Amino acid sequence: MRKRISGRAFVILLEREEIRIAQMNLGASVPQIQETMVLPTPEGAVEDGFILQAEPLRDCLRSALTAPELKRTRKVVFSLCSTQVLSVVTTIPAVADRQVEKLVNANMDIYFPVDVKDYHLVWTPVGVETNEDGTDVRSIQLWAVPNALLVRYYHLANELGLSVEAIDYCGNSFVSMVGASFANTASARHFWS
């Protein structure tokens, strides 16, 4: 489940061809974009969301994140775009949040046909519905993220001196909310090191 993030943070999307960075104030009732930047990804550094070459990527990001138009922050939210992230919406009994975690972890192998020890499970509520028999059920969105993918993002953040506040899936993330600033590169600031 998502934790509440407050204050200023970098939201970073790493793709094969380009890196998109937004500096956002996440403490407002509606998160506010303060600055955006698009820069080319070092060749061969990222493929399908996986960081393959950390050193050139780290150097590129270090240079970009110290640009004068960006205010310094130690928080980062990475948005993953990878075909390796598995996703499903399912229903479970209407239980409290603390019980959802136990329930989905115990049944992860039912939701995803993978070796569960190699994946990290993340969930977010979708809603509560009433069945035909009158009982409440809870709809939740589940993601199974490869641990091998996650560890590389945490390592990159550590090398940059940043604290990972969240790692989100691009289909459900701040990237979706930022929308036009990330989608329309003509309106975003380009940064070339």
Side-chain angles (χ1 to χ4, degrees):
M1 182 152 153
R2 282 189 208 167
K3 69 177 187 175
R4 179 109 169 107
I5 304 168
S6 63
R8 186 180 314 132
F10 295 120
V11 178
I12 300 175
L13 172 64
L14 303 174
E15 295 179 309
R16 183 174 187 235
E17 299 294 325
E18 63 187 16
I19 299 168
R20 297 169 189 231
I21 302 170
Q23 186 167 53
M24 300 182 68
N25 178 359
L26 303 173
S29 59
V30 175
Q32 301 166 341
I33 302 166
Q34 296 173 328
E35 192 67 48
T36 62
M37 185 180 290
V38 178
L39 52 142
T41 303
E43 189 173 333
V46 177
E47 186 66 46
D48 193 22
F50 278 86
I51 297 172
L52 301 178
Q53 295 179 20
E55 189 175 328
L57 189 58
R58 180 201 61 218
D59 294 344
C60 177
L61 283 169
R62 182 172 286 140
S63 179
L65 298 177
T66 57
E69 58 272 11
L70 296 176
K71 296 180 177 94
R72 185 70 183 138
T73 181
R74 292 186 39 84
K75 297 178 184 179
V76 65
V77 174
F78 286 112
S79 183
L80 300 178
C81 278
S82 174
T83 60
Q84 302 303 306
V85 176
L86 307 174
S87 174
V88 68
V89 176
T90 190
T91 56
I92 60 171
V95 296
D97 285 352
R98 65 185 180 283
Q99 294 173 314
V100 170
E101 195 79 25
K102 292 177 187 172
L103 184 64
V104 296
N105 281 326
N107 294 303
M108 185 175 170
D109 58 336
I110 295 169
Y111 306 125
F112 300 108
V114 295
D115 188 351
V116 295
K117 72 177 178 359
D118 295 332
Y119 286 79
H120 178 72
L121 186 66
V122 184
W123 66 276
T124 191
V126 175
V128 177
E129 302 167 8
T130 304
N131 274 343
E132 296 128 14
D133 64 3
T135 60
D136 287 342
V137 292
R138 188 173 190 178
S139 294
I140 57 173
Q141 174 76 53
L142 295 168
W143 293 275
V145 184
N147 292 327
L149 180 69
L150 288 175
V151 72
R152 295 174 188 193
Y153 281 82
Y154 278 94
H155 185 68
L156 177 63
N158 286 338
E159 288 186 340
L160 291 169
L162 300 173
S163 169
V164 177
E165 292 295 302
I167 295 185
D168 206 359
Y169 181 60
C170 67
N172 180 59
S173 71
F174 290 112
V175 173
S176 298
M177 181 188 63
V178 171
S181 293
F182 271 20
N184 182 0
T185 56
S187 67
R189 179 182 314 276
H190 287 268
F191 185 88
W192 305 91
S193 12

